């Protein structure tokens, strides 16, 4: 069968395996099934719509909606195959419902019920948010370093702080839902072991040593945010100065107009693409330990290429990265140099 991607809405061939409570799928190429599982759909409290008539040009499609409101669209190769899969999945859903019937609602069940009104995709977007999202950082576990990840307790703290959950217990249930639906993944041995041994409602750990990250398939949506590890902290400082300057690229050495924003407490210099927005910077660095100097307009300094209009200055970061910048006028160049020096 085929499944539609969550981010890029293309259809991909996958090998599906139906278990009593899950629908697993694997990469399928050249008539062979990959051994690595690509995803899973938890069937408990799922709703199935077959046929799914909203896709007029895909009459063989059907929809599975999880208890968390996440839609999965699947497509068979024939009407017979579609109806057979739908019947088998429906039978599995009925067995799960019969097994779970008649139980009194526990506190965890109550939290799960509240979760049905939460859009997990919007929660994920909030976690990615460059201003208020969760901070990605490097962690060390048993001698191994894991980059662009966060601890379980940090996720729980963030969910409660953002008022997406009322209690830490409810936050753990919401985090488990993100994990179950494949929005998050385990990183390192501790969280992997917890996922293997714990029940579904307790598979996410409110623990500073249990590590998690965004799933690889969802990193594409916020690749700039995840790879650059921008935090809300570095963008929370007071704006001291802003203006348009020319910046030389590190690879192509071409010059591009960038909107520069200087912030204090903490001291950072960020730059933005003016053709897009002034919310998500395309780059930036801490000013602590930086060196800034004015460059002579006579001749082309080493490391500089292209059309030089003058009013050039250079910033060298603490990690020895060189930034060459041109201001529109001599006075603006000196104003920027003086402002930046105050925060180095």
């Amino acid at each position: 069968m085929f499944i539609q991607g969550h981010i890029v809405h293309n259809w991909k061939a996958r090998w599906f395996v139906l278990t009593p409570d899950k629908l697993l799928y694997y990469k399928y190429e050249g008539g062979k099934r990959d051994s690595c599982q690509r995803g899973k759909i938890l069937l408990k409290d799922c709703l199935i719509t077959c046929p799914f008539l909203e896709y007029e040009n895909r009459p063989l499609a059907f929809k599975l909606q999880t208890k968390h409101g996440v839609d999965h669209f699947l497509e068979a190769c024939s009407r017979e195959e579609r109806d057979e899969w739908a019947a088998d999945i429906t039978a599995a859903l009925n067995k799960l419902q019969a097994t779970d019937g008649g139980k009194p609602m526990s506190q965890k069940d109550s939290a799960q019920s509240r979760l049905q009104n939460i859009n997990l995709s919007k929660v994920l977007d909030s976690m990615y948010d460059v201003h208020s999202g969760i901070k990605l950082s490097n962690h060390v576990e048993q001698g191994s370093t894991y980059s662009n990840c966060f601890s379980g307790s940090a996720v729980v703290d963030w969910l409660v702080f953002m008022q997406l959950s009322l209690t830490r217990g409810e936050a753990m249930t919401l985090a488990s839902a993100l994990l179950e639906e494949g929005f998050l993944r385990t990183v390192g041995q501790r969280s992997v072991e917890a996922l293997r041994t714990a029940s579904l409602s307790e598979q996410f750990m409110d623990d500073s040593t249990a590590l998690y990250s965004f799933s690889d398939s969802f990193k594409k949506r916020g690749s700039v945010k995840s790879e650059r590890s921008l935090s809300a902290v570095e963008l929370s400082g007071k704006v001291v100065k802003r203006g348009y300057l020319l910046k030389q690229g590190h690879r192509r050495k071409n010059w591009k107009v960038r909107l520069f924003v200087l912030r204090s407490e903490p001291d950072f210099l960020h730059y933005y693409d003016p053709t897009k927005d002034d919310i998500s910077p395309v780059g930036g660095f801490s000013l602590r330990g930086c060196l800034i100097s004015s460059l002579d307009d006579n001749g082309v300094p080493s490391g500089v290429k292209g059309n030089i209009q003058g009013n050039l200055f250079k910033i060298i970061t603490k990690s020895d990265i060189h930034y060459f910048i041109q201001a529109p006028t001599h006075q603006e160049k000196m104003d920027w140099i003086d402002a930046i020096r105050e925060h180095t």
Side-chain angles (χ1 to χ4, degrees):
M1 284 198 301
F2 297 84
I3 188 167
Q4 187 185 58
H6 282 286
I7 307 303
V8 180
H9 297 306
N10 55 344
W11 294 80
K12 296 181 179 179
R14 292 291 182 257
W15 182 273
F16 285 83
V17 176
L18 179 63
T19 73
D21 62 346
K22 303 182 198 69
L23 183 61
L24 311 175
Y25 52 93
Y26 301 79
K27 191 173 182 179
Y28 186 69
E29 286 184 343
K32 294 183 179 180
R33 187 193 91 174
D34 195 285
S35 59
C36 181
Q37 182 183 311
R38 304 293 291 183
K40 64 181 177 182
I41 302 171
L42 298 178
L43 296 179
K44 187 175 183 297
D45 298 326
C46 265
L47 296 175
I48 184 170
T49 304
C50 181
F52 185 69
L53 300 178
E54 291 184 29
Y55 284 135
E56 294 182 1
N57 60 335
R58 292 186 178 274
L60 303 179
F62 63 98
K63 181 178 80 169
L64 272 175
Q65 184 180 68
T66 71
K67 63 181 178 182
H68 305 302
V70 177
D71 292 331
H72 297 273
F73 298 98
L74 299 95
E75 184 182 38
C77 295
S78 67
R79 193 175 302 275
E80 291 75 19
E81 184 188 32
R82 182 200 66 188
D83 293 343
E84 185 177 340
W85 272 103
D88 290 343
I89 292 171
T90 300
L93 294 175
N94 291 338
K95 286 183 180 178
L96 288 171
Q97 188 175 14
T99 304
D100 201 43
K103 291 184 180 179
M105 183 175 284
S106 64
Q107 190 171 5
K108 288 180 181 177
D109 291 333
S110 178
Q112 290 279 9
S113 178
R114 286 194 295 273
L115 276 179
Q116 292 181 359
N117 297 320
I118 295 178
N119 187 319
L120 293 183
S121 294
K122 289 185 178 180
V123 174
L124 188 71
D125 287 337
S126 297
M127 293 181 76
Y128 266 123
D129 189 274
V130 71
H131 293 287
S132 57
I134 192 165
K135 182 178 179 181
L136 296 166
S137 58
N138 297 336
H139 292 262
V140 178
E141 181 186 291
Q142 297 180 355
S144 299
T145 301
Y146 301 96
S147 59
N148 289 333
C149 58
F150 33 77
S151 68
S153 57
V155 175
V156 173
D157 288 343
W158 183 85
L159 290 171
V160 174
F161 176 76
M162 296 297 292
Q163 299 183 341
L164 292 168
S165 301
L166 299 177
T167 65
R168 297 190 74 83
E170 193 170 302
M172 286 180 64
T173 304
L174 177 53
S176 292
L178 291 167
L179 194 63
E180 290 172 22
E181 296 293 349
F183 292 107
L184 301 181
R185 65 181 179 90
T186 55
V187 176
Q189 187 61 37
R190 184 162 175 77
S191 57
V192 171
E193 187 63 28
L195 183 63
R196 185 183 300 118
T197 60
S199 63
L200 287 178
S201 60
E202 298 173 339
Q203 59 185 215
F204 193 91
M205 297 184 68
D206 183 3
D207 191 314
S208 61
T209 63
L211 304 180
Y212 302 88
S213 180
F214 295 116
S215 293
D216 293 335
S217 57
F218 293 99
K219 283 182 181 177
K220 297 175 184 177
R221 169 164 50 188
S223 57
V224 172
K225 300 172 190 176
S226 62
E227 289 173 10
R228 291 191 58 254
S229 300
L230 283 171
S231 70
V233 175
E234 69 179 69
L235 292 166
S236 64
K238 178 183 177 182
V239 175
V240 176
K241 186 175 178 60
R242 59 185 287 155
Y244 292 96
L245 301 168
L246 282 171
K247 173 189 166 294
Q248 181 179 262
H250 289 290
R251 294 182 180 177
R252 296 184 180 179
K253 306 297 182 183
N254 55 342
W255 292 88
K256 291 184 179 180
V257 176
R258 291 289 182 251
L259 171 63
F260 279 79
V261 178
L262 172 63
R263 292 182 173 89
S264 64
E265 299 179 3
D267 301 313
F268 274 84
L269 184 64
H270 293 100
Y271 48 93
Y272 301 75
D273 184 345
T275 64
K276 296 180 181 177
D277 58 52
D278 60 354
I279 298 175
S280 304
V282 295
F285 50 89
S286 170
L287 292 174
R288 181 175 296 179
C290 282
L291 298 175
I292 182 169
S293 58
S294 175
L295 298 178
D296 197 338
D297 290 342
N298 296 324
V300 179
S302 175
V304 176
K305 295 183 179 181
N307 185 21
I308 309 302
Q309 303 295 328
N311 307 312
L312 189 67
F313 62 98
K314 178 172 70 172
I315 302 174
I316 305 176
T317 69
K318 192 175 181 180
S319 55
D320 199 33
I321 298 175
H322 293 226
Y323 289 86
F324 293 99
I325 302 169
Q326 293 185 67
T329 66
H330 176 75
Q331 185 59 53
E332 286 193 54
K333 177 181 80 168
M334 299 311 298
D335 289 345
W336 272 102
I337 290 175
D338 291 341
I340 292 171
R341 276 178 176 161
E342 290 182 10
H343 299 279
T344 57

